[in-house]
Every structure is written in structure tokens, then in C-alpha cells.
Amino acid sequence: MYHLYFTSELDGFPTTEEMLSSLPRTCRERIERYNIHDDRRRSAICYTMLKKALKEHFGTNDFEISCKEHGKPFLSGIDGVYFNLSHCKNACVCVVSDKEIGVDVQEVREYSEKTAMKVCCENELAILEKVADKAEEFTKIWAMKESLIKMHGDGFSYGLKNADTTNSDCTVVSKEGDCFIAVSEKNT
């Protein structure tokens, strides 16, 4: 079972510097890689939500982050606890679970048939042909693809077209305001 933390109230958090000072070194290092301040702030919010989620659901304040071969972050020294983070311009999301998990949040953007043709499999393209609001449906598909890829931990080497969202029973999608949130959790 997973626990999801979502916010679109980005101004309700402490300053970026205050959040950084309360996070483990490995989180600070990951956050400081961002060149744009707003991205650093959103990342700090995600890690602050992770800190809260780990305390509330797994009883730990003490954690460090490491990365697997393709860059998927994991908790060093804490077995059986998984997390994933995502942010977009106006929202941040964190998910924790006792199973491998992936999450993505996307704001609805203008639809591009050219992009859809590059990243969608035939089943997804068939769905897009039938819907009136292609921008909303494509955003939902994109969020689902990212959450699946993040769950698998293979990065984009997994292949966007290979992440067939129509054949996956492990993706949950919800809409918060103008954002879609997709969560993929391993069934085993």
C-alpha cells in the first residue's frame, strides 16, 4: 500500500534554504544540482514531504539517498521502504510504499501529434484518436508512462513506447486541479 503526499500550495513551505538545512546531505546534494532556483525549491519541497512521509509511515527521521544503475533513487540502509518524487511548475508529489513505486505529476499542456507519434504505442494512439480533449488525455498518458518507467527503475532506456499504459494494471491516475498524478506500484 502506498501513501501519497501532494501539494500545489508551494508558498506554504519554509524558504528553500530552511528546508535544505533540515534535510540529509544526500538530499541537499541532489537538490543543489538544479540550476534554476524554482526547480531547487520544488525539489526541496518533495524531499521535505518525503521526510514527513517516512516519519509518519515508517517511523524514521534518519535516512540517506543513493542511486541505482539507471539513476533511480533509493533509501540507503532501509530495506523494504520505497519512494518516488515528482514536481512540475505548480505542484509537488511524494509517494512512499513497501513495494517498488513510481510517481509523476504533469500539468495539462498543448497537444502535439508529432510528440504523441514518437512516444505512444499503437494502443495509446488509438485512444487519442477517439477522445475530444487530446491535450488532457495525452497528459494523462504521459504521466502514466513516466510513473511506470520510474517504477521499473530503468530510466528512459526502458523506452517510452514500451511503457504501454493500456496493458498495465498497476497505474492509478487522479486529477488535482490542472494536474494529473500517476502512481505505479509493483503488484508483488
Side-chain angles (χ1 to χ4, degrees), residues 144 147-148 151-152 163-172 183-185 187:
M144 291 167 63
S147 74
L148 279 168
M151 177 192 69
H152 288 293
D164 183 350
T165 62
T166 65
N167 285 327
S168 174
D169 60 353
C170 60
T171 302
V172 177
V183 178
S184 296
E185 182 179 49
N187 292 324

Side-chain angles (χ1 to χ4, degrees), residues 3-181:
H3 305 280
L4 180 86
Y5 290 71
F6 169 84
T7 187
S8 58
E9 302 295 326
L10 306 184
D11 292 335
F13 283 80
T15 67
T16 303
E17 292 71 26
E18 289 171 324
M19 287 185 284
L20 283 172
S21 70
S22 73
L23 293 171
R25 175 191 52 80
T26 52
C27 295
R28 291 192 309 269
E29 288 171 354
R30 290 180 67 82
I31 293 165
E32 289 169 350
R33 290 182 197 159
Y34 285 101
N35 293 323
I36 299 169
H37 179 269
D38 287 346
D39 289 334
R40 280 195 305 273
R41 176 160 180 75
R42 288 185 286 266
S43 184
I45 290 169
C46 286
Y47 280 106
T48 299
M49 291 192 303
L50 173 62
K51 184 178 174 181
K52 179 179 180 180
L54 290 173
K55 178 156 178 76
E56 288 180 356
H57 299 286
F58 296 100
T60 185
N61 263 341
D62 189 27
F63 66 96
E64 291 291 335
I65 307 291
S66 293
C67 289
K68 295 181 180 179
E69 178 184 356
H70 294 286
K72 183 176 182 174
F74 69 95
L75 299 168
S76 303
I78 303 177
D79 294 331
V81 179
Y82 304 91
F83 78 96
N84 208 240
L85 311 172
S86 182
H87 56 81
C88 59
K89 183 179 177 186
N90 295 314
C92 297
V93 65
C94 165
V95 65
V96 294
S97 177
D98 59 354
K99 299 175 186 169
E100 286 284 355
I101 195 139
V103 69
D104 191 50
V105 61
Q106 293 287 328
E107 292 167 311
V108 177
R109 289 184 240 150
E110 188 175 317
Y111 174 72
S112 164
E113 185 175 355
K114 182 178 177 182
T115 301
M117 296 296 289
K118 285 182 183 177
V119 302
C120 291
C121 67
E122 289 181 29
N123 294 336
E124 294 161 339
L125 291 171
I127 291 170
L128 283 167
E129 282 181 28
K130 296 175 186 174
V131 297
D133 192 338
K134 291 185 184 342
E136 192 165 288
E137 188 65 27
F138 179 74
T139 301
K140 185 169 99 174
I141 290 169
W142 184 269
M144 291 167 63
K145 282 182 173 293
E146 281 216 28
S147 74
L148 279 168
I149 288 170
K150 291 168 80 176
M151 177 192 69
H152 288 293
D154 295 328
F156 284 103
S157 67
Y158 185 76
L160 287 169
K161 283 196 176 202
N162 293 330
D164 183 350
T165 62
T166 65
N167 285 327
S168 174
D169 60 353
C170 60
T171 302
V172 177
V173 177
S174 62
K175 190 170 184 195
E176 294 286 339
D178 65 343
C179 296
F180 279 103
I181 303 164

